[in-house]
Amino acid sequence: MEENPIYYDHLDMAKEKMMKDKKQLREEVLGLEEKLLDANVRQSAESLNQLLADDFSEFCSSGKVYQYQPGDVFTTGDYKESWKIKDFSIDILADNLILAKYKLLKGNDLEGQKKHSLRSSIWKLTDDNWKMLFHQGTLIPR
């Protein structure tokens, strides 16, 4: 069987486009994850509603299961935390589903505590907007 160079050129172009698209998607989803760590976003029901699916659920690093209700907020008051995302990657599960995976370093300025966790999120594309469908945090030793 003779190889068709045009066929392989198309394959190479498709792979290159997928890699470029994946890099762009990675940056977009990383930006969304970072938004969800912003205190102003976490205190705004409207902002959270733009980022979380109506049926969003979370397996929290505390072991609790959280089911989002539109109107919920995550933090109130002067509670200050610092967050750092490391080793961020994505897997494309389907045209409209992305799995984000990373390590999170979380520091509480009031108590001087630092926690390290592995995080994963499933993002779903709905009406041209990515919304988080599921999130899990698992505490790990430093």
Side-chain angles (χ1 to χ4, degrees):
M1 176 181 245
E2 188 176 318
E3 292 184 6
N4 182 343
I6 294 172
Y7 172 77
Y8 288 105
D9 285 345
H10 278 338
L11 277 180
D12 289 341
M13 288 175 14
K15 285 180 186 176
E16 186 177 312
K17 183 179 182 330
M18 270 186 12
M19 290 308 293
K20 184 178 179 186
D21 290 347
K22 186 173 180 177
K23 287 179 184 178
Q24 290 173 338
L25 281 171
R26 180 193 175 280
E27 293 306 311
E28 183 176 357
V29 173
L30 174 57
L32 295 171
E33 291 278 358
E34 290 172 335
K35 274 186 181 180
L36 282 168
L37 299 177
D38 182 280
N40 293 324
V41 171
R42 297 174 71 77
Q43 294 175 15
S44 167
E46 182 179 338
S47 294
L48 289 174
N49 190 50
Q50 292 173 4
L51 295 167
L52 300 178
D54 289 345
D55 54 348
F56 168 78
S57 62
E58 177 178 4
F59 294 166
C60 304
S61 60
S62 65
K64 295 179 183 176
V65 177
Y66 167 73
Q67 184 65 46
Y68 173 70
Q69 299 294 318
D72 284 358
V73 294
F74 292 152
T75 58
T76 58
D78 292 330
Y79 191 72
K80 301 284 185 203
E81 293 178 320
S82 62
W83 313 78
K84 181 170 176 75
I85 292 176
K86 296 183 73 171
D87 303 329
F88 187 84
S89 67
I90 63 167
D91 293 325
I92 299 171
L93 303 177
D95 290 342
N96 67 338
L97 285 175
I98 291 178
L99 172 64
K101 301 176 288 187
Y102 56 97
K103 291 179 185 173
L104 184 69
L105 284 59
K106 177 180 173 183
N108 177 332
D109 292 342
L110 296 178
E111 298 172 16
Q113 297 178 340
K114 293 195 184 291
K115 294 181 182 178
H116 298 246
S117 57
L118 295 176
R119 301 287 173 135
S120 61
S121 306
I122 297 176
W123 289 86
K124 183 175 183 179
L125 184 63
T126 308
D127 299 325
D128 291 329
N129 294 310
W130 288 102
K131 290 198 170 197
M132 188 182 284
L133 185 62
F134 174 78
H135 183 75
Q136 179 169 357
T138 304
L139 290 176
I140 58 171
R142 284 188 159 200

